[in-house]
Amino acid sequence: MSKQHNWKIGWVALLVLSLFALSACGMVQPAKKPEVGPAGKPVEAKPNPPVMERFRPAPTQLYDLEAIAGSLFEGINKGNWPQAESGIANLQTTWEQTKQIVGEKKGVKDADEAIAGLTASVMGKKAVSAYEDLTKFMSSVSDVGKSYKLSPIADIITVGNAIRNVSFYVQDRNWNKAASKAKDLENTWNQAKPSVEQVGVLGSTTTTHSYVKQLKDSVDAESQGAAEEHIANLNESMGLIREYYRGK
Amino acid sequence: MDKLEKFAADIDKNVDYFKKLLGVGESFDIIFREFKIGRRRAATFSINGMTNDILLTNIYADIMTYHPEELNINTLNKVFYHRLAHSQVKVVDNINDTLTSLLSGELVMFIDEETQAIVIDARSYPIRSPAESTIEKVTRGSHDSFVETIPFNTTLIRRRLRDPNLRCEIVKVGARSKTDVAVCYIRDITNPDLVDTVKDRLNSIEIDGVPMAEKAIEEFIVGGSTWNPLPRVRYTERPDVAVVHLLEGHVCLVVDTSPNVIILPTTFWHHVQHVEEFRQNMTAGTFLRLTRLGAILTALLLPPVWLSLVLQRHLLPETLAFLGPRDPGIIPLGLQFLLAEFGVEMVRMATVHVPSAQSTALGFIGAFMLGEFATKVGLFGNETVFYIAVATVGTFATPSFELAMAVRLLRIALLILVIFFKLPGLLVGLLGAFIILVATKSFGVPYFWPLFPFNFKAMKDVLFRLPLPNKILRPAVLKPQDPDRLEHGPQKPPETDDEKDQ
């Protein structure tokens, strides 16, 4: 075998390996899911988006939805219904824009159902129902965000939801529920923290980590003032993280 | 008197010159001795501690008993041919060679009215016996290894290779140190162009001395970028390893004062093989080799790949979601890895530097410091400590210390790329590492051969420990004069130029 031929084989092998690595094994379609499981239907299955689409940055509207959700939740939580109504209007507008951009992705259908319920709850000024619908809506938006493989938007929304859960029960002074939600926030944050770590926002991730731990301690101690202070700090640090990634 | 000049017939001129040059009376270790051989005056120079006193006493006793009437004419030749019974004696006629011999530890003798000097090799170095190598240990097999004395090392090679074609040519390196470097090769196997290249590069070294011996020599002769972290020569302390490579057509450099013999040229795969594989049967040897390759790959890839995947965990299929850290610790994960690398290196260095009695205690402190307490106080995640520990074990499983260091540096570079650019950074880093591997050459031999350029037969030999009876071909990339290891009739001396003309 000639020397030149050997070099050619080597380069071809390198090319194949590079293509395989770049595709991140994503050429393989997921196995077909069963129609029903022991307790009913499994989660909705959607085919993988096209390979290149998975590596695009998440649309800025997803970050905007998270920001609006914060404002809307504040209105619901504090009984400030004009703020909540303004928030739901913003949320609907932004969601319509988002749908057009993201197309048919996993989570879109559920989000549509949730936002309809949320609108009704806010218009009916039902705080508990509105809080639950908002959580459901943002969970579905998080599912949409998971399609953007290189973006941490799904984790940012999940952590946001977990913070809202704690805040809701702290406001309600339901300490058992709040403690359970604080534990849930800690676990969620532990899973999400590596995804949001990036040079340029490392300070905010470190402070968020501290605030999550402190919030859990203050909820365990049933200290509403301290818990609210830590939630406010978390609002700031998570807001900074969200703004850092917006458009990236 | 010019250094290149011949000796004067007057012994006083020669002695004065050497006395001034060597600082007799200033340096305590330069020994000057005057005496008479018959009626002739004679003088010797030697270096204290580098000569064998008993041997010298015998030599002096022998030549001083000459009767004056026996030495009327041709004194030097009579002494040389009739009295100096020692086997290593030579007559030298110029100052330069005499000085080199003297400073190498030989005894120099001047006789009045003679324009030559007698050089007697009665050297007795501070030496240690060949003991087991501490960095190339084997369960079975020989336990001797090279030492710091060059003749001992060439002897260890010749004991295993009774081939008249084995050549050990001495090249002196260093204008002041005159360090002996033996260029060893088998005349009718090794590519003569390779031997010439090595000798040319050794001869072209311009430096006053090479106290760091083989490492300094390597940096002078290896060529290419000196910043390339990949080791382009292999070191061994084992004579059997050196002989295996000589038989393959490599050149071995035995550097005086060093127990490490340089093998060149080498490829990447030379650094991942260990003599232990050849001391086991084929299946066990192959298992050891593949385990070792896996360990090296793990050492290089595990931390950066894991970090890149957990930093962008949505890339992972759901079946691998368990990889994520349960409690990531307060310090960002990327920094945790860099700090852990720093900590492991600190512990390793400290363990090497402290006395062995303390190194075990230090190891425990290091392990607890890095592992137990760092995770307990919440600074580090458990996974970080685990993955860095696995990678460190993989590094230590690398037979070549030089390659292990290169792997560690590449791993740190990949970690930094992942910290800044996540998975794309890792892919670019791996591509960069691959390009470095492909572009690197060791004395003209592609470093990644036989994977790149691809050679199936040789690649098989690299991945699997093949049966020795099947290994009849020498590595083609070395362009050996004799391509196979089969016997080809009686060995003959090399032809002279005249014989070639006929």
Side-chain angles (χ1 to χ4, degrees):
Chain A
M1 205 178 280
S2 71
K3 197 177 174 185
Q4 275 191 336
H5 190 66
N6 286 342
W7 279 98
K8 274 182 192 167
I9 291 175
W11 282 116
V12 169
L14 174 64
L15 189 68
V16 170
L17 274 173
S18 307
L19 286 174
F20 188 71
L22 283 171
S23 71
C25 311
M27 301 296 187
V28 184
Q29 287 296 319
K32 197 184 170 194
K33 290 193 175 179
E35 285 180 10
V36 68
K41 286 183 182 174
V43 290
E44 181 196 15
K46 288 272 183 192
N48 278 333
V51 173
M52 292 316 292
E53 201 175 291
R54 285 176 242 172
F55 301 102
R56 283 184 195 154
T60 53
Q61 282 80 358
L62 290 176
Y63 293 90
D64 293 342
L65 284 172
E66 169 59 18
I68 296 165
S71 170
L72 172 58
F73 174 77
E74 192 180 28
I76 295 167
N77 202 26
K78 293 187 174 167
N80 185 349
W81 292 107
Q83 184 182 340
E85 283 165 13
S86 160
I88 193 73
N90 269 342
L91 201 68
Q92 282 172 327
T93 313
T94 311
W95 174 239
E96 289 305 319
Q97 292 170 357
T98 310
K99 274 202 298 184
Q100 287 174 6
I101 295 167
V102 299
E104 271 297 305
K105 280 198 165 57
K106 186 181 172 186
V108 171
K109 198 175 145 194
D110 289 342
D112 269 338
E113 287 170 11
I115 201 168
L118 175 61
T119 308
S121 302
V122 169
M123 291 309 169
K125 296 180 182 172
K126 296 173 188 166
V128 176
S129 172
Y131 149 70
E132 285 172 353
D133 287 335
L134 178 61
T135 304
K136 193 177 168 195
F137 172 71
M138 289 311 291
S139 295
S140 305
V141 175
S142 174
D143 285 343
V144 175
K146 282 177 187 165
S147 300
Y148 300 92
K149 301 291 184 188
L150 300 185
S151 168
I153 180 63
D155 291 313
I156 291 172
I157 294 171
T158 309
V159 173
N161 253 353
I163 294 171
R164 284 189 283 272
N165 287 339
V166 181
S167 177
F168 186 79
Y169 290 107
V170 166
Q171 184 73 21
D172 198 32
R173 289 177 164 268
N174 185 344
W175 294 112
N176 282 340
K177 276 271 192 184
S180 157
K181 296 296 179 186
K183 178 70 188 160
D184 184 41
L185 168 64
E186 190 185 30
N187 291 338
T188 306
W189 171 250
N190 281 345
Q191 275 208 320
K193 181 178 176 268
S195 311
V196 297
E197 282 177 359
Q198 172 73 43
V199 176
V201 74
L202 293 179
S204 296
T205 55
T206 308
T207 49
T208 303
H209 189 85
S210 299
Y211 293 143
V212 167
K213 301 277 179 194
Q214 289 170 28
L215 174 60
K216 184 172 176 290
D217 291 344
S218 55
V219 168
D220 287 342
E222 301 184 1
S223 167
Q224 188 170 20
E228 282 175 350
E229 187 189 335
H230 296 315
I231 288 169
N233 287 332
L234 276 171
N235 282 335
E236 185 187 331
S237 60
M238 281 305 293
L240 284 171
I241 291 171
R242 187 191 65 227
E243 287 304 311
Y244 177 82
Y245 282 106
R246 189 174 184 275
K248 286 189 179 170
Chain B
M1 197 184 287
D2 192 296
K3 267 171 75 174
L4 296 173
E5 273 185 20
K6 304 289 181 189
F7 291 112
D10 181 359
I11 190 173
D12 287 328
K13 282 187 179 174
N14 295 332
V15 166
D16 284 350
Y17 177 78
F18 270 73
K19 273 183 166 180
K20 280 180 193 166
L21 190 66
L22 298 168
V24 173
E26 296 169 39
S27 296
F28 78 97
D29 57 343
I30 306 291
I31 297 177
F32 170 65
R33 167 94 158 79
E34 282 187 296
F35 54 96
K36 279 199 169 182
I37 304 174
R39 290 196 186 91
R40 294 279 185 89
R41 287 172 58 211
T44 58
F45 287 90
S46 62
I47 296 173
N48 194 5
M50 291 178 84
T51 46
N52 185 329
D53 289 343
I54 298 169
L55 190 60
L56 287 187
T57 306
N58 289 338
I59 290 170
Y60 285 129
D62 222 16
I63 56 180
M64 283 179 190
T65 55
Y66 252 125
H67 295 294
E69 59 273 15
E70 289 181 85
L71 291 168
N72 289 335
I73 53 168
N74 222 357
T75 310
L76 186 135
N77 278 338
K78 281 182 181 167
V79 170
F80 182 76
Y81 286 108
H82 299 294
R83 281 299 165 104
L84 287 172
H86 186 51
S87 63
Q88 295 182 66
V89 183
K90 61 188 173 187
V91 174
V92 183
D93 65 352
N94 69 79
I95 291 171
N96 199 25
D97 290 348
T98 311
L99 258 178
T100 305
S101 294
L102 173 60
L103 294 170
S104 303
E106 293 174 305
L107 179 94
V108 171
M109 182 189 291
F110 295 109
I111 300 172
D112 196 19
E113 294 176 29
E114 298 288 347
T115 55
Q116 292 175 311
I118 295 175
V119 173
I120 303 163
D121 188 352
R123 282 180 278 196
S124 173
Y125 292 122
I127 53 166
R128 67 179 172 96
S129 300
E132 184 175 14
S133 165
T134 50
I135 57 172
E136 286 178 277
K137 282 184 178 176
V138 288
T139 318
R140 296 193 189 282
S142 64
H143 291 270
D144 55 351
S145 68
F146 291 122
V147 290
E148 288 76 7
T149 317
I150 196 168
F152 283 28
N153 293 343
T154 49
T155 305
L156 287 170
I157 291 174
R158 281 207 186 267
R159 272 204 68 200
R160 290 165 170 82
L161 198 58
R162 293 170 186 173
D163 185 345
N165 286 304
L166 173 64
R167 298 287 184 267
C168 291
E169 296 182 30
I170 284 286
V171 176
K172 289 197 183 295
V173 175
R176 289 179 185 274
S177 68
K178 306 275 186 202
T179 306
D180 287 329
V181 180
V183 183
C184 299
Y185 59 96
I186 301 178
R187 185 189 57 80
D188 57 348
I189 294 177
T190 311
N191 178 5
D193 293 340
L194 173 65
V195 177
D196 290 343
T197 305
V198 173
K199 285 196 284 191
D200 286 347
R201 289 187 187 180
L202 282 171
N203 284 318
S204 63
I205 295 175
E206 286 184 7
I207 193 75
D208 56 352
V210 280
M212 290 298 135
E214 81 287 354
K215 185 60 200 156
I217 299 280
E218 179 206 326
E219 288 183 19
F220 276 107
I221 66 171
V222 81
S225 169
T226 46
W227 290 99
N228 187 339
L230 296 169
R232 281 161 287 170
V233 299
R234 181 182 175 182
Y235 293 111
T236 185
E237 289 190 0
R238 296 188 61 88
D240 47 4
V241 173
V243 170
V244 165
H245 286 86
L246 284 170
L247 287 169
E248 283 185 349
H250 290 266
V251 171
C252 289
L253 298 184
V254 188
V255 184
D256 196 23
T257 71
S258 169
N260 296 301
V261 164
I262 301 175
I263 298 167
L264 55 88
T266 53
T267 65
F268 170 82
W269 310 100
H270 282 99
H271 297 276
V272 300
Q273 295 182 8
H274 192 271
V275 68
E276 179 80 10
E277 293 155 14
F278 296 93
R279 297 283 180 190
Q280 303 292 335
N281 71 36
M282 202 192 86
T283 316
T286 300
F287 169 71
L288 290 180
R289 182 170 294 183
L290 292 177
T291 306
R292 209 182 300 280
L293 279 171
I296 294 165
L297 270 178
T298 305
L300 176 66
L301 295 177
L302 185 64
V305 167
W306 183 79
L307 182 65
S308 69
L309 291 178
V310 298
L311 289 185
Q312 286 175 321
R313 65 193 178 100
H314 301 300
L315 285 172
L316 282 172
E318 285 174 14
T319 44
L320 292 177
F322 65 88
L323 282 175
R326 290 170 66 86
D327 183 355
I330 191 163
I331 299 174
L333 273 178
L335 284 182
Q336 286 183 28
F337 274 103
L338 292 183
L339 289 171
E341 289 280 4
F342 181 65
V344 168
E345 189 57 28
M346 272 200 306
V347 173
R348 191 195 65 79
M349 282 196 296
T351 312
V352 170
H353 296 162
V354 300
S356 55
Q358 293 174 24
S359 61
T360 312
L362 184 72
F364 276 117
I365 293 169
F368 278 111
M369 206 174 70
L370 283 172
E372 191 77 10
F373 299 136
T375 51
K376 270 190 177 168
V377 297
L379 293 176
F380 279 51
N382 286 317
E383 287 86 350
T384 308
V385 176
F386 171 70
Y387 287 117
I388 211 76
V390 174
T392 306
V393 172
T395 309
F396 288 137
T398 312
S400 157
F401 179 74
E402 290 75 25
L403 182 69
M405 284 305 287
V407 165
R408 182 173 292 171
L409 289 174
L410 281 174
R411 183 171 71 222
I412 291 172
L414 289 176
L415 283 170
I416 291 171
L417 281 170
V418 170
I419 290 168
F420 278 92
F421 306 107
K422 302 191 174 179
L423 188 67
L426 176 72
L427 294 177
V428 170
L430 287 175
L431 189 66
F434 186 80
I435 288 170
I436 292 174
L437 278 166
V438 169
T440 301
K441 287 191 172 183
S442 168
F443 290 84
V445 170
Y447 196 65
F448 221 22
W449 183 90
L451 183 64
F452 214 92
F454 190 70
N455 182 318
F456 177 71
K457 279 184 184 169
M459 196 64 218
K460 212 168 52 173
D461 194 18
V462 159
L463 289 179
F464 304 103
R465 207 289 256 166
L466 298 180
L468 288 176
N470 293 359
K471 288 182 62 150
I472 51 170
L473 289 178
R474 303 184 206 282
V477 77
L478 295 173
K479 297 175 188 160
Q481 298 177 69
D482 180 4
D484 63 55
R485 305 182 67 176
L486 304 174
E487 206 171 330
H488 292 291
Q491 291 167 318
K492 293 174 185 173
E495 287 182 345
T496 61
D497 290 341
D498 292 342
E499 285 170 336
K500 279 179 190 169
D501 292 341
Q502 289 167 11

